Amino acid sequence: MRPVVLKGKLVSLAVPVREDIRKAWLWFNDRNVRLFLTAPEEVFFFEDEMEWYERIRKAKERDKVFSIVENSTSSLVGFIGLHRIDHRDGNAELGYFIGKEHWGHGYGSEAVKLALEYAFQWLNLRKVYARVYEPNTASIKVLEKNGFKLVGRLKKHHHVPGYGFVDELIFERFREE
């Protein structure tokens, strides 16, 4: 049982539990899921994921990581986090991924909506930003659907297997928008 932090129509954001880590490990090693994440070439060991779990469990000030849970089945479908939380300047970076078998169901869009609610209402942040690689059109649509605006572009900044060097796009969303 995962404690639910925020509940939407399709998914909820929940506190990650140890049992979620095996699925995270499988997804982190799936090249389709990793393709547009940082370091897509990395291979992850289960022990590394357990260390990651312990780090996020203890990093309560700078990072908030949630399991994304499908409401009707209580199944884990992905993870979402607010990283580099800066209370002084009132901002954080958003990062998320959905397991491949759960793509195309609207889970990412609703999870981002819930993460924004948490950022603005519970953390009292004024801005959330996200970085995405230009070929990742699905993630760009998720951000735009949630009111994010493109504010910057780092040209040919990151190598993505099969795409070569691609632009890294920077999006932001203010609380008032």
Side-chain angles (χ1 to χ4, degrees):
M1 182 78 173
R2 297 174 197 90
V4 170
V5 176
L6 287 172
K7 186 173 181 129
K9 292 179 183 174
L10 296 173
V11 297
S12 294
L13 302 189
V15 175
V17 294
R18 188 173 296 277
E19 294 77 35
D20 292 343
I21 303 312
R22 181 161 297 284
K23 195 68 168 166
W25 172 63
L26 293 170
W27 286 332
F28 280 162
N29 283 299
D30 182 326
R31 296 303 99 182
N32 292 309
V33 173
R34 283 250 28 113
L35 186 62
F36 296 123
L37 301 178
T38 303
E41 74 286 351
E42 289 293 323
V43 173
F44 294 86
F45 293 91
F46 184 71
E47 294 77 10
D48 296 334
E49 296 315 303
M50 291 308 294
E51 289 175 16
W52 171 75
Y53 172 74
E54 290 302 323
R55 276 195 313 276
I56 64 167
R57 207 173 60 75
K58 294 175 183 171
K60 294 183 171 109
E61 289 302 310
R62 301 239 334 130
D63 293 297
K64 301 287 185 206
V65 177
F66 302 101
S67 295
I68 304 170
V69 180
E70 199 274 331
N71 288 336
S72 67
T73 63
S74 298
S75 298
L76 179 70
V77 298
F79 290 90
I80 192 163
L82 295 162
H83 306 285
R84 289 182 267 294
I85 298 169
D86 182 339
H87 289 286
R88 186 190 68 154
D89 290 330
N91 63 61
E93 181 175 4
L94 178 71
Y96 54 91
F97 73 91
I98 303 294
K100 180 174 61 177
E101 62 272 30
H102 304 290
W103 290 354
H105 297 285
Y107 300 150
S109 292
E110 189 170 73
V112 167
K113 178 182 174 188
L114 293 170
L116 288 171
E117 179 182 334
Y118 187 82
F120 296 145
Q121 293 181 15
W122 294 94
L123 297 178
N124 197 31
L125 299 179
R126 61 180 192 81
K127 179 173 85 169
V128 174
Y129 62 94
R131 297 175 295 137
V132 62
Y133 305 132
E134 190 169 37
N136 190 352
T137 55
S139 192
I140 291 168
K141 287 178 185 172
V142 165
L143 293 172
E144 291 175 341
K145 183 176 180 179
N146 279 284
F148 281 81
K149 304 288 187 232
L150 177 65
V151 296
R153 175 186 300 266
L154 299 169
K155 294 212 171 262
K156 309 285 184 212
H157 189 70
H158 188 78
H159 185 267
V160 174
Y163 291 89
F165 285 93
V166 301
D167 292 0
E168 183 172 328
L169 307 177
I170 303 159
F171 287 82
E172 65 184 12
R173 162 81 196 277
F174 285 89
R175 178 176 36 212
E176 308 81 40
E177 296 174 345

